[in-house]
Amino acid sequence: MQAHDPGSPKLPDCTPFRFSTADLPKRDRLTIFREVIGRATLKLDLAPLADRPFQADLVAQALPGLVIVSGASANVRAARTRELLDDSDDLILKIFTSGIGVASQRGQEVTLRAGDALLMSAAETSVSATSSLSGFITLPLKLKAVASLVSSPEDALMRLLPGTDALRLLAGYVKELQDSTQLTTYELQRAVVAHVYDLAALAIGATLDGTALAGSRGLRAAQLAAIKADINTHLADPDLTLTAVAARQRLRPRSLQGLFADQSTSFSEFVLEARLTLTHRLLSDPRWDDRNISSIAFEAGFGDLSYFNRAFRRRYGAKPSGTSARRRGGECVDGGGIDRACFSPGARVLIPISSTPPTSGSKAHRRCPNTTASHKRQGCRTETNELTRPDNGKSAVCR
């Protein structure tokens, strides 16, 4: 896989390429891993580190002028030998996201742990190795582009870069890129590549001008991506607030508001849209047919069903019941060993928080007590209830 030529008029396909040794037949695993993935694709001589099973799960994504490789490996030795060197003067930024690994070049050996990074030269021989399962991101960076933001980047070669906010944001931004399906224009693809370089420069040590440029460009984009990922992760949390997200992202609330204002929206508007999108997707998914609309709304973090119904109709021009594959009425479902109580006035109701749709196994159906649309379900909060959820003990509790 090679980086797309920026001079080409054709929009590059940024679909990530995924590879796993687990998908290969045992007898051919080492040959394919070494020749096709290693030498032909990554320009590395890959081999087991010791005489025991090896593992590699990789994701490679080609963007204009940049190929991002991420994944995890165990018992793997990766060597850039002289015969695999080319005329490139690229730099390689290696970030460890989990586990532990070792890299050596120029007679130096550096140990990397989760959150650390190391800048290496693609023009020189090197060896990297992981014994236990370890996660990593590898970014080949053009020396000229890095030099426009960092003074003498060669001085940073083989110097351990300990975990910083810039590295954390860079790792999160790369993950969002590889999970995204929105890179549909060349301008957008070029913009995200610039953001990656900005964050890499901040991690390596940008100049004052480079810091100012990266701060107004790549840093803000990565912060916003991290905030959106945080929100999507905590949608079902009734305590999802601007203050809570800002604290997790190490930002001031006003700064977080400013990032959304740059996109002509707000924190609350984004949260509402994300929750509505989730409920619409679940209501349209046949695997969720046995779940009533109320439980799905609470699953997405709505605490007031009247407000949910109004917001859903404004957004989609239809009632939630018109979106689901079947009208659920007042029916409830018990299944999977989880107590799912019916809604009734004044009753304490437990709605399991889970992203997994109900299974297709045996289910005992029962009818709910009569309810009316005027009964509001408010005041949801997260409560520990190990009898209800033996796995993590979390349920949304409504009164």
Side-chain angles (χ1 to χ4, degrees):
M1 178 177 288
Q2 296 183 348
H4 175 73
D5 180 4
S8 172
K10 182 180 178 181
L11 182 68
D13 180 7
C14 292
T15 304
F17 166 75
R18 301 179 185 275
F19 164 83
S20 175
T21 51
D23 296 332
L24 301 176
K26 269 191 172 182
R27 63 181 183 181
D28 301 325
R29 186 172 296 171
L30 180 57
T31 301
I32 295 176
F33 180 57
R34 191 168 192 169
E35 299 299 328
V36 179
I37 302 302
R39 300 175 71 87
T41 305
L42 301 178
K43 304 300 181 185
L44 292 170
D45 184 12
L46 302 176
L49 182 63
D51 186 18
R52 53 188 172 85
F54 63 95
Q55 176 184 347
D57 298 282
L58 307 177
V59 179
Q61 184 177 28
L63 293 162
L66 177 67
V67 176
I68 300 171
V69 179
S70 66
S73 65
N75 191 34
V76 172
R77 179 182 186 274
R80 190 175 298 276
T81 61
R82 290 195 178 279
E83 64 174 308
L84 294 175
L85 294 177
D86 51 28
D87 296 330
S88 168
D89 62 353
D90 288 355
L91 303 173
I92 299 174
L93 183 62
K94 185 180 290 289
I95 306 169
F96 262 64
T97 56
S98 64
I100 186 171
V102 176
S104 61
Q105 188 176 63
R106 296 186 169 187
Q108 302 178 61
E109 183 175 282
V110 177
T111 299
L112 296 97
R113 294 175 173 80
D116 292 341
L118 185 69
L119 191 66
M120 305 176 73
S121 171
E124 302 175 31
T125 60
S126 64
V127 176
S128 300
T130 54
S131 179
S132 58
L133 187 63
S134 304
F136 60 86
I137 298 170
T138 300
L139 299 171
L141 305 171
K142 298 294 183 184
L143 175 60
K144 185 176 180 181
V146 175
S148 67
L149 299 167
V150 177
S151 177
S152 302
E154 298 92 339
D155 294 343
L157 291 174
M158 296 305 294
R159 187 185 73 207
L160 182 67
L161 304 173
T164 61
D165 280 346
L167 274 176
R168 176 181 61 85
L169 288 169
L170 176 54
Y173 191 66
V174 166
K175 183 181 184 303
E176 290 299 307
L177 285 181
Q178 296 192 321
D179 291 342
S180 175
T181 59
Q182 306 300 318
L183 302 180
T184 54
T185 68
Y186 189 67
E187 290 74 18
L188 183 57
Q189 292 173 8
R190 291 293 299 272
V192 299
V193 170
H195 295 162
V196 169
Y197 271 89
D198 288 341
L199 293 165
L202 290 173
I204 296 168
T207 62
L208 289 178
D209 289 343
T211 299
L213 179 60
S216 64
R217 192 172 58 180
L219 181 61
R220 293 181 70 81
Q223 287 173 331
L224 186 59
I227 291 166
K228 290 180 176 180
D230 186 302
I231 291 171
N232 286 320
T233 299
H234 294 88
L235 277 182
D237 186 353
D239 296 323
L240 177 60
T241 63
L242 184 149
T243 303
V245 175
R248 283 195 294 267
Q249 297 301 317
R250 308 174 193 173
L251 291 170
R252 292 179 301 173
R254 185 180 296 275
S255 299
L256 189 150
Q257 289 174 320
L259 292 171
F260 280 106
D262 288 346
Q263 293 196 330
S264 301
T265 186
S266 67
F267 173 85
S268 58
E269 289 172 346
F270 180 84
V271 171
L272 175 59
E273 179 65 20
R275 284 175 167 161
L276 288 173
T277 300
L278 176 59
T279 54
H280 187 273
R281 176 171 60 81
L282 296 182
L283 287 168
S284 302
D285 189 339
R287 296 175 299 171
W288 288 78
D289 282 350
D290 289 332
R291 292 287 292 272
N292 58 43
I293 294 172
S294 302
S295 70
I296 289 178
F298 283 111
E299 190 89 20
F302 286 100
D304 183 332
L305 294 182
S306 296
Y307 171 70
F308 161 68
N309 283 318
R310 291 195 303 270
F312 192 96
R313 292 189 68 171
R314 282 196 304 268
R315 175 64 176 83
Y316 295 104
K319 294 180 179 180
S321 57
T323 305
S324 58
R326 68 175 67 172
R327 294 179 181 274
R328 297 172 176 80
E331 184 173 300
C332 287
V333 178
D334 283 344
I338 298 175
D339 178 30
R340 188 173 297 122
C342 297
F343 288 97
S344 60
R348 171 172 169 156
V349 182
L350 298 177
I351 305 298
I353 297 177
S354 169
S355 59
T356 305
T359 63
S360 57
S362 61
K363 302 179 178 66
H365 291 69
R366 70 178 185 272
R367 304 300 299 180
C368 288
N370 291 331
T371 59
T372 66
S374 63
H375 294 142
K376 296 182 180 180
R377 288 83 177 181
Q378 299 180 2
C380 286
R381 58 189 175 82
T382 299
E383 174 175 292
T384 299
N385 190 324
E386 294 182 356
L387 293 177
T388 304
R389 288 297 302 275
D391 51 352
N392 62 17
K394 284 194 173 181
S395 304
V397 178
C398 305
R399 297 182 184 276

